[in-house]
Every structure is written in C-alpha cells, then in structure tokens.
Amino acid sequence: MYWIDGYVILIGLMVGSFLNVCIYRVPRGRSVVQPRSACPHCNHPISVLENIPVLSYLLLGRKCRQCGAGISWVYPLVEAFTGVLFYLLYLTYGFQTPFWVNIVFFSILVILIFIDLFERLLPDVFTLGGLAFGFVMAPFQSGEFFPDLGPISLSAVLLSYVDSFLGVLMGAGFLWLVAEMYLRLKKVEGMGFGDIKMMAMVGAFLGWQLTWMTILLGSLMGALVGSFYIYVLGKGAKYKLPFGSFLAVGAMISTLWGESLITAYLSQF
C-alpha cells in the first residue's frame, strides 16, 4: 500500500535529520541530545517549523531566517539519502527482522560516510558500538530464522553467530593485513585503524561473504575516484581519500543486492 511506502520514507527523513546532528556534533565532542539545534553562525535556535526535513531547507531559501547565512546542502542530502535507503530496505525485506536491524546499520553507515568525507574520521562510538550491536543481532539478519517471531532454531542461531564472527575476522583481518604490508613496503601508513574497525562492524552485520563483497566494491570505487582525483584534478598520489566512505557505500550495496549479485555470478559456472 502506498501509504506504507510514504510512512517508511517519512521515518527515514526524520531519522536523517537526527543523523545530521550526529555528523556535526560527534567529531566536535558535543552531545547529540542537548542543547537543541541552532544555526552554527548566529546560534539562533531552530524551531520545529524550521526543522522539517528537506522542506524547511527549500522554504527558507537555503538560508538562516535570523542571520541570512547559507545552510549547508549536506543537511537535506543526508535527510533525503536516509529516506531513500529506508525505502530500499523496505522493498528488499518488507517489515521482517532484517529491515529493523539494517535501518540501524544503514543509519550508522550514513553517519560514517559524511564524517569520514569531511573530517577523515571514523569515531569508535559508531564503529565499535555498531560492531557490538551487529554481532548481538546477527540471528535477526535472516527472515528465515525469525519469520514470524515463532520457534527459534538453535542451530540456525549458532550458525548466524559463526558467520558474523567470521565476517568480523574477514573485514578487520584483511584490511589490517593490507595496511601492515603497505606500511612495511612504503614505510608510511596507508590506512587508519578506523577503517579496520569499521570493517569489523560491517562483518558483524553482514557475515563473511557480503563482507568480502563490500571490500571489493569499496576498493573498486576508491580506485576509480582516486584515479580521477590524481590524474584529472591533479591532487597528487598522496591525496588522502575517505576510504571509509567508499566501504560504507559498498556495504549498503552488498546488503541490498549482494545475495542477488552472488547468485548471478555463480550461475555463470
């Protein structure tokens, strides 16, 4: 029903508004609860009507009503992006348990994408906190385990935890190995531990197969964008790319379409 689609998107927009708060405040060491949102230029408290996702940005003419300073395009982008992601998750899983687990997962990924993009930082509160949540909730990542919250299969639960644990080892272990080899060969750090901890979190949510796909997709996107920056924009080989942002997008693609991509690939043999 169309009203359910709209409801899911609306929830995503509202969650996206809160994610904006996290993206702005957490790197600055500020609380995401208090004080209420305010203009970063004049400190004018933002009213409810000024805080309607996407719509307020357009109605205010992209400017603060009090001081006239420009409002960053990041705010409506994050809100709209989150709304679209929630809708895609709903189309993929309906209201089965993976939907509820992955809206938390995707919310964390959205935060990490934009913090890494602007700050080159992947805060532990999200990577390690997400790791713990993803591992605990691993059995709920398959609607087959709890289709109607009915009888629980102990063997299925145990297998889901094994897969989650292997995903953690795959994500963190592989990136740590690459980072260590690069350090020994180049004598410079090529990857921060934030990326490694983030991939441990991804592994806890997705298991080892989709974690491997995430690494492949993230590396491919990073290589393509990196080549563009180096050879087209002339940034230089030492330009630091937000690798965590690419990995996060790769994790989203793997969550939504990874199983289908794997099936399509294996069907070729």
Side-chain angles (χ1 to χ4, degrees):
M1 290 183 288
Y2 293 116
W3 70 269
I4 296 180
D5 297 349
Y7 178 75
V8 171
I9 294 172
L10 179 60
I11 294 298
L13 291 172
M14 292 191 295
V15 170
S17 182
F18 175 70
L19 301 187
N20 274 319
V21 176
C22 298
I23 292 166
Y24 181 79
R25 294 189 183 187
V26 170
R28 293 164 176 79
R30 296 172 54 186
S31 168
V32 299
V33 180
Q34 294 290 340
R36 62 185 291 186
S37 297
C39 173
H41 301 283
C42 67
N43 210 34
H44 162 67
I46 298 175
S47 67
V48 174
L49 293 179
E50 294 172 315
N51 204 27
I52 302 172
V54 181
L55 185 60
S56 290
Y57 176 80
L58 298 175
L59 293 177
L60 291 171
R62 299 172 293 176
K63 296 180 181 179
C64 172
R65 184 169 62 86
Q66 184 72 18
C67 68
I71 301 173
S72 173
W73 55 269
V74 174
Y75 295 115
L77 176 61
V78 169
E79 292 163 352
F81 186 41
T82 307
V84 170
L85 290 174
F86 276 35
Y87 183 59
L88 290 174
L89 284 171
Y90 169 68
L91 291 180
T92 303
Y93 299 109
F95 285 128
Q96 290 186 306
T97 53
F99 171 79
W100 304 105
V101 174
N102 285 312
I103 61 172
V104 176
F105 182 38
F106 275 31
S107 295
I108 295 172
L109 290 176
V110 170
I111 293 170
L112 293 175
I113 285 173
F114 287 93
I115 291 182
D116 195 39
L117 185 62
F118 295 114
E119 309 290 343
R120 298 299 190 271
L121 178 69
L122 296 167
D124 287 350
V125 65
F126 299 117
T127 56
L128 298 183
L131 167 60
F133 180 85
F135 183 75
V136 169
M137 301 300 290
F140 293 91
Q141 275 289 53
S142 174
E144 296 177 2
F145 293 165
F146 299 92
D148 300 303
L149 294 181
I152 298 174
S153 168
L154 181 59
S155 61
V157 171
L158 292 176
L159 285 174
S160 70
Y161 280 124
V162 170
D163 189 39
S164 179
F165 181 69
L166 291 176
V168 172
L169 293 182
M170 169 70 74
F174 181 80
L175 284 200
W176 176 84
L177 181 61
V178 171
E180 187 67 17
M181 291 175 61
Y182 189 90
L183 178 61
R184 292 181 181 275
L185 291 173
K186 299 290 187 178
K187 307 303 180 183
V188 293
E189 187 177 276
M191 186 185 305
F193 271 94
D195 297 312
I196 295 172
K197 287 181 281 189
M198 176 182 162
M199 281 309 303
M201 177 199 72
V202 171
F205 275 97
L206 298 186
W208 74 271
Q209 286 184 309
L210 295 183
T211 296
W212 181 242
M213 176 174 286
T214 296
I215 294 173
L216 290 177
L217 291 172
S219 299
L220 177 61
M221 287 185 286
L224 292 174
V225 175
S227 298
F228 175 79
Y229 268 78
I230 293 171
Y231 297 110
V232 179
L233 301 183
K235 290 290 187 178
K238 293 186 178 180
Y239 180 74
K240 186 177 181 181
L241 286 169
F243 189 42
S245 298
F246 299 117
L247 290 172
V249 173
M252 291 174 174
I253 295 172
S254 298
T255 304
L256 293 168
W257 302 292
E259 296 290 350
S260 298
L261 291 173
I262 291 173
T263 301
Y265 176 75
L266 293 178
S267 67
Q268 304 302 313
F269 298 94

